[in-house]
Amino acid sequence: NNTNVPDFILTGLSDSEEVQMALFTLFLLIYLITMLGNVGMILIIRLDLQLHTPMYFFLTHLSFIDFSYSTVITPKTLANLLTSNYISFMGCFAQMFFFVFLGAAECFLLSSMAYDRYVAICSPLHYPVIMSKRLCRALVTGPYVISFINSFVNVVWMSRLHFCDSNVVRHFFCDTSPILALSCTDTYDIEIMIYILAGSTLMVSLITISASYVSILSTILKINSTSGKQKALSTCASHLLGVTIFYGTMIFTYLKPRKSYSLGRDQVASVFYTIVIPMLNPLIYSLRNKEVKNALIRVMQRIWYFLGL
């Protein structure tokens, strides 16, 4: 233990009690929608046999990650808005571990989903053979394993920091940038390591996604019929929208030097990708998806029949 600080104080998002209550109500509503949306998506996919395909297999894990991602941050944020802002040293680094782990896992899982869409559009006749159960499991297991190692290395290095003078974290959760800013020792080597880990995670996943969509776009442009092009585009639209929102905020927040860290600006971005995006994903993938809507109707009909309604 290289610190004299037994716990940390999270400054939160505001000192005003009125603003805190408004944020508590808003975040609680968002969290309930997030839980309902992601758990509901998982149950619908599991209960409807017509959705037992690779695309929805990946979507199940995306919902699980979003559910977990939000749960790592939001409940503690809600508690801090009502009570004290204290978090233990171990609790802070545990939160950081799962935050980094789940964030990286979502990056790589979105890459797996992009590859799935690439095979579906560019090699539709070979899709059932290429996207076998074995490959699908590998494309899901890989992101979890790589992200676990990434997060473990990140937290081990961060835990070696010294905190001598202050224990006030200028953020509403234990993120890497405000913890680095709090340290009273030289953090240059750790910053470089974190920048490499975060940058490689974003770049590898983004390159995979970009290469997949370049091939997809090239294939779509070769389709003669307008309806065929629209159908192909509709299978990618939800994923592409989710990727754009997620990566946009992540790159804005993390791929920049520590000196450019801004409490207000970075907190707004952090609220968006830690609390709002996990709520948006199930909405993005369901509202524009007729298969999910039809599956929901079938599941509800089965429930009503079972209950004798």
Side-chain angles (χ1 to χ4, degrees):
N1 188 356
N2 294 321
T3 178
N4 295 323
V5 178
D7 50 32
F8 294 105
I9 299 175
L10 301 170
T11 59
L13 295 164
S14 174
D15 294 328
S16 169
E17 291 187 4
E18 291 79 8
V19 174
Q20 287 180 343
M21 287 306 301
L23 290 174
F24 176 84
T25 304
L26 176 62
F27 290 169
L28 178 60
L29 178 61
I30 292 175
Y31 184 62
L32 292 175
I33 295 173
T34 300
M35 296 300 100
L36 179 62
N38 286 291
V39 174
M41 181 70 75
I42 293 171
L43 291 176
I44 290 170
I45 293 172
R46 291 299 178 93
L47 293 174
D48 193 88
L49 294 177
Q50 294 187 31
L51 297 185
H52 289 188
T53 62
M55 181 177 75
Y56 293 105
F57 173 71
F58 295 127
L59 188 53
T60 298
H61 284 273
L62 180 63
S63 294
F64 170 74
I65 289 175
D66 281 335
F67 168 87
S68 305
Y69 196 60
S70 181
T71 301
V72 167
I73 304 297
T74 311
K76 181 60 179 174
T77 302
L78 291 172
N80 288 344
L81 287 169
L82 293 182
T83 58
S84 65
N85 292 345
Y86 284 93
I87 184 171
S88 68
F89 182 85
M90 292 299 296
C92 183
F93 279 86
Q95 186 184 58
M96 185 188 300
F97 171 82
F98 285 107
F99 167 72
V100 174
F101 166 55
L102 293 166
E106 181 154 349
C107 286
F108 290 120
L109 183 63
L110 289 171
S111 300
S112 298
M113 295 173 72
Y115 177 74
D116 171 69
R117 292 299 83 205
Y118 157 75
V119 176
I121 293 175
C122 299
S123 302
L125 297 179
H126 299 96
Y127 181 78
V129 177
I130 297 175
M131 297 304 296
S132 63
K133 289 184 178 180
R134 182 177 180 180
L135 179 60
C136 289
R137 293 192 187 101
L139 290 173
V140 164
T141 304
Y144 286 121
V145 173
I146 296 172
S147 301
F148 180 88
I149 296 172
N150 184 328
S151 182
F152 181 78
V153 172
N154 181 87
V155 171
V156 167
W157 275 72
M158 289 287 292
S159 65
R160 297 167 61 184
L161 294 171
H162 294 262
F163 305 97
C164 312
D165 303 321
S166 174
N167 65 339
V168 179
V169 180
R170 293 169 58 81
H171 211 1
F172 66 94
F173 71 99
C174 290
D175 200 359
T176 53
S177 295
I179 296 295
L180 283 170
L182 192 63
S183 176
C184 59
T185 54
D186 182 25
T187 61
Y188 179 78
D189 291 341
I190 297 178
E191 285 187 65
I192 293 299
M193 183 276 301
I194 292 174
Y195 190 85
I196 291 172
L197 287 176
S200 59
T201 296
L202 288 171
M203 289 301 103
V204 169
S205 54
L206 269 177
I207 288 171
T208 303
I209 293 170
S210 299
S212 298
Y213 274 102
V214 167
S215 299
I216 288 171
L217 182 60
S218 176
T219 301
I220 290 176
L221 291 175
K222 295 176 183 177
I223 299 175
N224 294 323
S225 66
T226 304
S227 60
K229 290 181 179 179
Q230 291 177 344
K231 183 178 180 180
L233 285 171
S234 66
T235 64
C236 303
S238 297
H239 178 260
L240 192 56
L241 178 59
V243 165
T244 302
I245 295 173
F246 181 77
Y247 278 94
T249 52
M250 292 289 278
I251 291 172
F252 171 82
T253 305
Y254 290 106
L255 291 189
K256 64 179 188 294
R258 170 186 167 182
K259 292 182 179 179
S260 64
Y261 174 73
S262 168
L263 177 64
R265 184 178 65 246
D266 284 31
Q267 279 192 338
V268 171
S270 297
V271 166
F272 195 73
Y273 71 76
T274 59
I275 297 176
V276 178
I277 287 181
M279 175 193 69
L280 292 179
N281 275 340
L283 298 176
I284 290 171
Y285 286 96
S286 62
L287 293 179
R288 294 178 55 86
N289 194 315
K290 292 182 180 180
E291 290 181 339
V292 173
K293 292 178 183 177
N294 293 334
L296 176 60
I297 294 173
R298 290 192 294 269
V299 170
M300 293 303 298
Q301 288 175 339
R302 288 165 58 187
I303 293 174
W304 291 336
Y305 177 79
F306 178 78
L307 296 176
L309 299 176

